């Protein structure tokens, strides 16, 4: 019995996972609100739409839930999910910063500044920093696979 517990960590039930994912998304939105407020206090323009709650909140929720779905798929299908995620998470995070950098370079949105763009980039890191530990608890990888 103890061997089974060591190789198969307890997996939370569906309601716990659902509640945990909703909580994860809510916490990520709340911390991103702090990032946006800090950016505005530091001089980012109120005209910069991506730092408005109505812009980043739905994207934060979508990103957190889409990443959870990808996590679950990788957990179910990969023979070494933890190893794969150690590569994928930083790679996807880096790729997710490219559109923000392009906004900064192109200066295509009203109120664009590098301070605002850096805040957007920090928001991506915030979501990853909150979501990955939550996914590890809510959607754990089998210990015997890595």
């Amino acid at each position: 019995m103890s061997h089974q517990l060591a190789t198969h960590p307890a997996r939370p039930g569906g309601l716990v996972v659902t509640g945990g994912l909703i909580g994860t998304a809510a916490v990520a939105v709340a911390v991103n609100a702090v990032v946006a407020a800090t950016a505005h206090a530091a001089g980012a323009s109120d005209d910069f739409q991506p730092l408005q709650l109505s812009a980043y909140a739905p994207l934060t929720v979508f990103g957190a839930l889409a990443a959870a779905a990808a996590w679950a798929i990788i957990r179910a299908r990969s023979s070494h999910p933890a190893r794969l995620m150690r590569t994928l998470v930083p790679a996807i995070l880096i790729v997710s910063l490219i559109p923000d950098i392009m906004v900064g370079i192109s200066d295509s949105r009203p109120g664009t500044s590098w301070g605002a763009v850096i805040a957007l980039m920090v928001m991506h890191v915030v979501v990853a920093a909150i979501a990955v530990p939550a996914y590890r608890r809510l959607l754990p990888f089998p210990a015997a696979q890595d």
Side-chain angles (χ1 to χ4, degrees), residues 48-128:
F48 190 64
Q49 178 62 28
L51 288 181
Q52 300 302 319
L53 181 66
S54 61
Y56 66 77
L59 294 173
T60 299
V61 171
F62 175 78
L65 297 180
W71 185 283
I73 291 167
I74 289 167
R75 180 184 83 168
R77 296 191 179 186
S78 175
S79 59
H80 300 286
R83 185 182 321 159
L84 179 58
M85 292 308 277
R86 282 191 297 272
T87 303
L88 279 180
V89 169
I92 291 169
L93 179 60
I94 290 168
V95 169
S96 78
L97 302 177
I98 293 171
D100 297 337
I101 294 167
M102 297 309 295
V103 166
I105 290 170
S106 69
D107 196 20
S108 60
R109 295 181 179 256
T112 298
S113 67
W114 279 104
V117 169
I118 289 169
L120 289 179
M121 295 168 73
V122 168
M123 289 176 160
H124 288 247
V125 175
V126 161
V127 174

Side-chain angles (χ1 to χ4, degrees), residues 20-67:
L21 293 177
I22 291 168
T24 299
V27 169
V29 169
V31 176
N32 276 346
V34 171
V35 172
T38 302
H40 288 300
S45 173
D46 289 335
D47 294 334
F48 190 64
Q49 178 62 28
L51 288 181
Q52 300 302 319
L53 181 66
S54 61
Y56 66 77
L59 294 173
T60 299
V61 171
F62 175 78
L65 297 180

